[in-house]
Amino acid sequence: MSSTSSAGPVQRRRVFYIPGYDPFHPRRYRELYRSEGAEQAEISGYDLTLGPKSSPGPFGWHVSASIEGADVETDIEVLVWSDIVKHSMRSTVAATYWQLLRTVWIYVATGTLWRLMRLRKGPVIAALYPVVILLVQAFLALLAGYAFARLTGVIGAWFSLPDLVAIFLQGSVGAGAAVMLLRLFKAHDNKLFVYYLMHDYAYSAGLCGAIPAELEARMKAFTATLRDALTENTVDEVLVVGHSSGAHIGVSVLADLLQEDLPEQRPVLSFLTLGQVVPMVSFLPRATRLRRDLREMSEQQSIAWYDVSAPGDGCAFALCDPVAVSGVAPPEQRWPIVFSAAFTKTLSPARWQALKRRYFRLHFQYLCAFDQPKHYDYFRITAGPLTLGARLKARGHSRSRLAKPLSRYRDMDKR
């Protein structure tokens, strides 16, 4: 049962979803699965019903599906680290600007920024977006502060205030106006996502690619959860799905899992990464643990690993082999198989026109319905009667896969 391409039918499955840097409650993913799954079922002609999950463990939901003539029962669970994300986002305005300076310095001083730009410009532009907007907001705040200070000076002259008092009032009012405007920008960040994205990049780069202690502890808990799932004899497949920065968390969790003494007879273990941003971390100097895990996952024979992205997703390193571009691919590299979700071909022209400039929404399209799905259908993969390896066994790399090693740093931890 441990073969990566087992063609045996799946009657029961457990899916473990690892989200990206997201502060929201995991019920958001349940409701997304409910609405988008219903739409995909209608488009593709199968049945999909959600209910409470039947297994213990993390937050999740149960899916009963009738797909390709087979009935399948699936429990989908979210491996939660949103509490860590929320804590990392509790920064003042001043602290966020310090994060900006520090993060930019790390990526520039290490030469990582230029190498990432040679890989894909889209995600680098997305990374620079919060930097630019925060600097614009700071400029506007300074401008507002200067204007209010000048106005206070004019009013002070009318009342013939002493010079020291006038200067104090001008400075206080000007500084207060600037601070209030910056706080106003932050309070309405749900429109621009500037602070959210800045915290995201700062968290990844905070230790120059090393994994923060609190996340390392959570990853050990994830590994234990997966180990427990593999001891069940009631499921046919355990599928791990890593989205965005959840992809590199999944790589390390599974690499650790493979070091354990797993039962020989166990469910098929599969790994699906979606819209990955691995190079944002693996290209940093202290990402030695991640680079080791990437190499180990690329040459193992126990887990089928497929990586799906799309050039239309400007927030992901689309079609970049995360192992190869990080410079740690062994000669016998087997995984991942990198292929495109091809948004321009799998979405209708009308839907593509509606979404193509909604960059953050497109980054979640992998979890949504497609008008004309081809090899990639999230709901067939997570709720259908075939394992990931069996469903995609005929799927090779996309011709536009990028595999040129570009990372300056290639040293790795040792086991």
Side-chain angles (χ1 to χ4, degrees), residues 21-23 80-90 203 212-219 222 249:
Y21 186 89
D22 188 342
V80 177
W81 62 293
S82 56
D83 56 319
I84 295 175
V85 173
K86 287 179 183 178
H87 181 76
S88 73
M89 294 177 69
R90 291 174 184 166
Y203 189 76
E214 68 278 5
L215 182 56
E216 186 73 66
R218 189 62 52 87
M219 288 162 56
F222 292 169
I249 292 176

Side-chain angles (χ1 to χ4, degrees), residues 82-359:
S82 56
D83 56 319
I84 295 175
V85 173
K86 287 179 183 178
H87 181 76
S88 73
M89 294 177 69
R90 291 174 184 166
S91 298
T92 63
V93 172
T96 300
Y97 276 92
W98 170 246
Q99 286 181 338
L100 182 156
L101 294 174
R102 189 173 186 277
T103 303
V104 170
W105 170 253
I106 288 171
Y107 278 107
V108 172
T110 61
T112 300
L113 180 65
W114 322 120
R115 292 172 181 270
L116 291 173
M117 290 185 71
R118 290 170 60 190
L119 195 58
R120 284 287 187 195
K121 291 183 174 59
V124 176
I125 293 172
L128 292 175
Y129 161 76
V131 174
V132 172
I133 301 301
L134 282 170
L135 291 177
V136 169
Q137 290 179 355
F139 174 75
L140 292 175
L142 289 173
L143 199 61
Y146 174 77
F148 273 87
R150 289 293 301 270
L151 179 61
T152 304
V154 171
I155 295 174
W158 290 349
F159 291 94
S160 301
L161 296 174
D163 289 346
L164 287 178
V165 174
I167 291 172
F168 175 77
L169 284 175
Q170 282 182 278
S172 299
V173 172
V179 169
M180 286 183 64
L181 185 56
L182 286 173
R183 288 180 174 175
L184 186 65
F185 284 138
K186 184 178 181 182
H188 291 83
D189 194 56
N190 60 331
K191 304 294 183 182
L192 296 176
F193 303 105
V194 173
Y195 280 80
Y196 167 71
L197 289 171
M198 191 68 254
H199 294 317
D200 185 355
Y201 298 124
Y203 189 76
S204 296
L207 297 177
C208 291
I211 299 173
E214 68 278 5
L215 182 56
E216 186 73 66
R218 189 62 52 87
M219 288 162 56
K220 288 182 179 178
F222 292 169
T223 301
T225 298
L226 293 177
R227 181 182 62 244
D228 291 344
L230 288 174
T231 63
E232 293 184 19
N233 294 320
T234 58
V235 298
D236 304 299
E237 181 183 33
V238 172
L239 170 63
V240 179
V241 179
H243 176 235
S244 193
S245 52
H248 59 75
I249 292 176
V251 165
S252 291
V253 166
L254 289 172
D256 286 352
L257 185 65
L258 288 177
Q259 301 303 309
E260 302 193 5
D261 186 18
L262 299 175
E264 184 175 344
Q265 293 298 315
R266 61 179 187 269
V268 174
L269 181 57
S270 309
F271 186 34
L272 176 67
T273 48
L274 306 171
Q276 56 89 6
V277 291
V278 170
M280 288 295 294
V281 180
S282 66
F283 277 37
L284 291 169
R286 294 183 60 199
T288 52
R289 194 252 217 254
L290 175 57
R291 288 191 288 268
R292 177 202 68 194
D293 297 339
L294 285 166
R295 184 181 179 93
E296 289 180 357
M297 283 295 293
S298 74
E299 58 187 352
Q300 52 81 30
Q301 301 183 36
S302 303
I303 306 172
W305 175 14
Y306 289 83
D307 180 73
V308 182
S309 56
D313 175 11
C315 297
F317 283 89
L319 302 182
C320 296
D321 184 319
V323 180
V325 299
S326 300
V328 294
E332 61 278 13
Q333 180 183 0
R334 297 167 57 91
W335 309 107
I337 301 299
V338 177
F339 71 95
S340 178
F343 291 166
T344 56
K345 296 179 181 179
T346 53
L347 297 174
S348 67
R351 195 190 297 247
W352 173 243
Q353 286 298 318
L355 293 178
K356 69 178 183 178
R357 290 184 176 83
R358 295 176 59 190
Y359 304 112

